[in-house]
């Protein structure tokens, strides 16, 4: 299907096993005060009725496109959305929203306002944690914000942790920045791989000091699950960033990414031993426990007691 309307913003929503929350998510998008958007719902082989719900909404609203595909994970679903936009749409911006989350009514309007006002390539906001019994939150239009160059914004992820959220949702991204980038398929911590690259490639980034994205907390989410060897995907993400910054010939960013990779690596090894899954550590990341503890100790001393944690 090719979009008959040249929407300004493409909203991409990966959908998988979120039947209780999907309608809330879609409804929050469809009632946006900013209406010049298209909604790309990617049914990632969901085994429940999510696919049926997506088709139901598409039949009622011609701004909606539904992609059905075999399950490949959130990265594959987001990539499918990007690929559809690249092939079929003339939109200028892309926003990602996870299908168990939702957004206030003026979310797109406000992010786009700051994009135009500051001639920025990325607008980033923080999130409000919500639970099943929470109602819709109100977005307050007045907010403080910071403006960075792309490199400065990327650098804050290492030197001023907390200035900009690492998640790809909660952002409005100029479409061209994603032309050569895709999410790593089959990995968790996929945002840590792609978001620093997006920021680095931007000319200007606006960091809103606000909490405008509604992130639904789930006891089954990765962040609440016990440690598994899959957490080494986070180390892989920073290995990818080291290669990216090397290609950009940016020695300082290479150094920062290498340092964070080393600390995350050591921390994952420590947690793998603590969880009794040290045998599952990927061969390239196997490290004696004493050495991991030593790295973490040295880093704690050098950084005044602050270190990167998984």
């Amino acid at each position: 299907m090719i979009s008959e309307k040249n929407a300004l913003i493409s909203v991409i929503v990966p959908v998988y096993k979120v039947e209780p929350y999907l309608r809330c998510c879609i409804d929050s998008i469809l009632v946006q005060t900013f209406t010049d958007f298209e909604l790309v719902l990617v049914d990632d082989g969901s085994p429940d009725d999510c696919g049926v719900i997506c088709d139901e909404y598409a039949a009622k609203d011609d701004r909606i496109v539904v992609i059905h595909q075999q399950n490949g994970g959130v990265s594959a679903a987001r990539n499918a959305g990007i690929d559809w936009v690249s092939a079929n749409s003339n939109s200028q911006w892309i926003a990602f929203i996870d299908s168990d989350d939702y957004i206030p009514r003026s979310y797109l309007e406000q992010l786009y306002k700051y994009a135009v006002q500051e001639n920025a390539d990325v607008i980033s906001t923080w999130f409000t944690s919500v639970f099943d019994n929470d109602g819709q939150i109100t977005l307050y239009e007045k907010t403080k914000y910071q403006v960075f160059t792309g490199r400065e914004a990327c650098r804050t992820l290492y030197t001023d942790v907390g200035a900009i959220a690492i998640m790809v949702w909660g952002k409005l991204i100029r479409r061209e920045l994603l032309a050569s980038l895709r999410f790593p398929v089959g990995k968790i911590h996929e945002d840590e791989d792609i978001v620093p690259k997006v920021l680095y490639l931007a000319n200007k980034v606006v960091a809103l000091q606000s909490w405008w994205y509604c992130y639904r907390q789930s006891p089954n989410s990765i962040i609440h699950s016990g440690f598994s060897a899959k957490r080494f995907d986070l180390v892989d993400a920073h290995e990818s960033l080291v290669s990216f910054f090397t290609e950009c010939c940016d020695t300082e960013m290479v150094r920062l990414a290498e340092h964070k990779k080393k600390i995350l690596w050591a921390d994952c090894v420590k947690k793998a031993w603590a969880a009794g899954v040290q045998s599952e550590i990927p061969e390239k990341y196997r490290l004696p426990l004493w050495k991991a503890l030593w790295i973490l100790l040295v880093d704690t001393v050098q950084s005044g007691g602050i270190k990167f944690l998984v």
Side-chain angles (χ1 to χ4, degrees):
M1 174 181 177
I2 298 178
S3 177
E4 297 178 357
K5 179 182 177 183
N6 294 327
L8 194 59
I9 299 175
S10 296
V11 180
I12 297 174
V13 179
V15 178
Y16 185 73
K17 291 181 70 174
V18 289
E19 187 176 344
Y21 312 117
L22 182 56
R23 292 184 187 276
C24 175
C25 175
I26 297 176
D27 288 341
S28 75
I29 298 169
L30 295 182
V31 299
Q32 289 293 295
T33 55
F34 183 96
T35 59
D36 191 7
F37 67 87
E38 60 194 4
L39 174 56
V40 183
L41 300 172
V42 185
D43 168 27
D44 190 40
S46 189
D48 53 14
D49 282 339
C50 282
V52 174
I53 294 172
C54 289
D55 290 338
E56 172 191 321
Y57 275 92
K60 298 177 181 178
D61 195 315
D62 61 8
R63 293 174 297 177
I64 300 177
V65 172
V66 180
I67 299 171
H68 297 283
Q69 65 179 31
Q70 291 185 339
N71 178 245
V74 65
S75 289
R78 288 173 177 163
N79 289 343
I82 297 172
D83 291 342
W84 184 92
V85 171
S86 298
N88 300 296
S89 175
N90 292 318
S91 63
Q92 299 176 26
W93 299 87
I94 290 178
F96 296 95
I97 298 173
D98 280 0
S99 51
D100 52 350
D101 300 335
Y102 59 89
I103 53 176
R105 292 186 72 248
S106 54
Y107 175 84
L108 292 179
E109 178 185 351
Q110 291 300 313
L111 266 61
Y112 182 67
K113 179 185 80 172
Y114 285 100
V116 173
Q117 177 179 306
E118 299 296 334
N119 190 26
D121 297 316
V122 179
I123 301 82
S124 178
T125 187
W126 280 92
F127 62 91
T128 296
S129 295
V130 296
F131 300 87
D132 288 352
N133 59 347
D134 288 349
Q136 296 279 349
I137 70 164
T138 300
L139 185 155
Y140 296 94
E141 297 183 1
K142 292 183 179 179
T143 187
K144 295 180 180 180
Y145 64 94
Q146 294 175 276
V147 178
F148 301 95
T149 67
R151 186 182 185 279
E152 288 171 345
C154 184
R155 194 173 182 275
T156 66
L157 300 177
Y158 300 95
T159 60
D160 186 17
V161 178
I164 297 177
I166 191 64
M167 291 71 70
V168 74
W169 42 256
K171 290 176 174 57
L172 185 62
I173 301 169
R174 196 176 295 276
R175 172 179 164 176
E176 286 81 0
L177 296 180
L178 292 165
S180 61
L181 299 176
R182 292 297 183 271
F183 292 87
V185 176
K187 302 283 188 179
I188 63 173
H189 299 294
E190 68 284 344
D191 290 358
E192 282 89 341
D193 183 296
I194 199 170
V195 169
K197 298 171 185 175
V198 167
L199 295 177
Y200 189 87
L201 294 174
N203 289 318
K204 187 184 288 187
V205 175
V206 172
L208 302 173
Q209 298 173 7
S210 56
W211 291 260
W212 287 354
Y213 183 96
C214 300
Y215 168 64
R216 192 182 299 276
Q217 293 284 332
S218 169
N220 297 320
S221 65
I222 292 172
I223 195 171
H224 291 115
S225 62
F227 182 87
S228 78
K230 282 292 290 178
R231 291 295 182 95
F232 281 91
D233 286 354
L234 183 57
V235 187
D236 285 341
H238 287 278
E239 188 172 76
S240 173
L241 290 170
V242 169
S243 298
F244 174 80
F245 294 133
T246 299
E247 291 176 5
C248 295
C249 301
D250 193 324
T251 54
E252 184 193 21
M253 293 305 300
V254 169
R255 178 182 60 80
L256 290 171
E258 282 275 18
H259 174 72
K260 188 168 183 179
K261 173 192 168 185
K262 179 182 72 173
I263 301 308
L264 291 169
W265 176 6
D267 197 57
C268 280
V269 168
K270 181 196 73 173
K271 290 182 176 179
W273 277 86
V277 295
Q278 63 270 22
S279 62
E280 299 176 19
I281 298 175
E283 186 173 353
K284 66 178 179 178
Y285 292 136
R286 287 179 185 170
L287 189 69
L289 179 59
W290 69 265
K291 190 170 184 178
L293 294 174
W294 176 253
I295 291 172
L296 293 173
L297 175 62
V298 170
D299 179 68
T300 300
V301 172
Q302 291 178 343
S303 60
I306 300 174
K307 64 184 179 67
F308 297 107
L309 296 176
V310 178

